[in-house]
Amino acid sequence: MKTETIIGGLVVLLLLGVAGYFFLFKTSEQVATQTPPATESADETPIPVEPDGGIGDGAEPLDEMAATGMQVIGRSEGGNDIVAYHYGTGEKEILLVAGVHGAYAANTSQLAHELNSYLESATLPEDVRVTVIPVLNPDGLQKIYEVTDVVNGFSALRDHNATIPGRFNANNVDLNRNFDCEWAPKSMWRSQEVSGGSAVFSESEAATLRDYVIAQDPVAAIVWFSAEGKVYPSACGGAPSSASTQLASTFAKAA
């Protein structure tokens, strides 16, 4: 089974030229504003790498009717739909995921919806298909915002301290710590203990993303987070691959 790699970032369109690279799930907040070096010399500081999530076994491939348009790919722990939007019909799928931390990073969901609006009238390369998951954590988003607020636009520059409860899903799990890489039932975030769930992929949101990646086998994927000002190539328990590092550099320049 091929390993996918997912890095954090903010802009996607220039990734279409580098869709052959693969990604892993990262586990820390960031946005794309800095460019990590594509290679590392003995005198350079090592590229920061975030722990990453493994991929298990999962869903069946999409049927023909679900290949384009809007698709419900799963449901949250609170029973809300997790929706993917598909654009283009090419064999090379590029996946973008936002809203992992619900209301705490709601501006990533707003960005995803703005990208959806753009892609509705965009002309994509014939061999490319773009999939956008605007809200992986709808339960966390609804703790603070009405769902329609994200679709129609809202002020994402509010005090993040006011949105901390919306970082977690309905089970108060930090979804970013529920993937299969250095998993632990408890973890630390900003000097406070947070839950990683009762087991790896115990949360339906994380399992939904895992199953989608296994079934659809995207050639590239990005997870948007909302802090830190960096793009990370990902690796779990080791150095990132040269492909991941090169794509992270390309993504950072585009952003």
Side-chain angles (χ1 to χ4, degrees):
M1 179 181 65
K2 184 183 68 188
T3 301
E4 326 299 319
T5 303
I6 296 181
I7 63 173
L10 187 62
V11 183
V12 62
L13 299 180
L14 294 188
L15 279 177
L16 297 179
V18 287
Y21 297 114
F22 304 98
F23 293 71
L24 289 172
F25 293 98
K26 62 164 291 302
T27 60
S28 181
E29 300 72 55
Q30 62 269 322
V31 225
T33 56
Q34 296 182 4
T35 304
T39 59
E40 179 185 329
S41 70
D43 296 328
E44 291 176 330
T45 302
I47 297 171
V49 176
E50 292 303 309
D52 191 306
I55 307 298
D57 296 324
E60 295 298 321
L62 293 178
D63 58 35
E64 184 176 354
M65 292 298 292
T68 59
M70 186 180 74
Q71 177 197 10
V72 176
I73 61 172
R75 286 180 173 80
S76 68
E77 290 291 331
N80 287 298
D81 289 346
I82 299 173
V83 179
Y85 296 81
H86 307 293
Y87 304 92
T89 57
E91 295 182 356
K92 296 178 181 178
E93 179 172 3
I94 297 173
L95 173 66
L96 295 103
V97 182
V100 177
H101 283 148
Y104 187 76
N107 53 358
T108 64
S109 295
Q110 185 178 26
L111 174 66
H113 283 296
E114 291 174 358
L115 179 61
N116 283 346
S117 296
Y118 173 85
L119 290 172
E120 286 174 0
S121 58
T123 300
L124 298 177
E126 291 184 358
D127 62 342
V128 169
R129 178 174 183 254
V130 177
T131 295
V132 182
I133 301 174
V135 187
L136 186 66
N137 181 9
D139 299 345
L141 189 67
Q142 286 187 347
K143 290 180 183 180
I144 307 298
Y145 297 108
E146 295 290 339
V147 173
T148 53
D149 287 345
V150 178
V151 177
N152 297 325
F154 59 91
S155 174
L157 300 179
R158 60 186 297 173
D159 180 7
H160 268 199
N161 289 327
T163 61
I164 286 176
R167 177 185 175 93
F168 310 103
N169 75 348
N171 294 334
N172 288 321
V173 171
D174 188 330
L175 295 178
N176 204 32
R177 288 158 170 79
N178 191 234
F179 293 96
D180 187 15
C181 180
E182 300 180 5
W183 176 85
K186 299 293 181 181
S187 184
M188 297 302 295
W189 172 74
R190 289 196 171 186
S191 300
Q192 71 181 68
E193 186 177 83
V194 296
S195 172
S198 60
V200 172
F201 296 119
S202 63
E203 307 308 294
S204 59
E205 299 90 346
T208 291
L209 183 56
R210 173 202 63 193
D211 292 350
Y212 183 87
V213 169
I214 293 168
Q216 304 310 317
D217 199 22
V219 296
I222 304 121
V223 172
W224 288 325
F225 291 81
S226 186
E228 198 166 340
K230 297 176 183 177
V231 172
Y232 287 100
S234 290
C236 184
S241 67
S242 59
S244 179
T245 300
Q246 184 176 352
L247 184 49
S249 178
T250 301
F251 190 90
K253 291 175 182 177

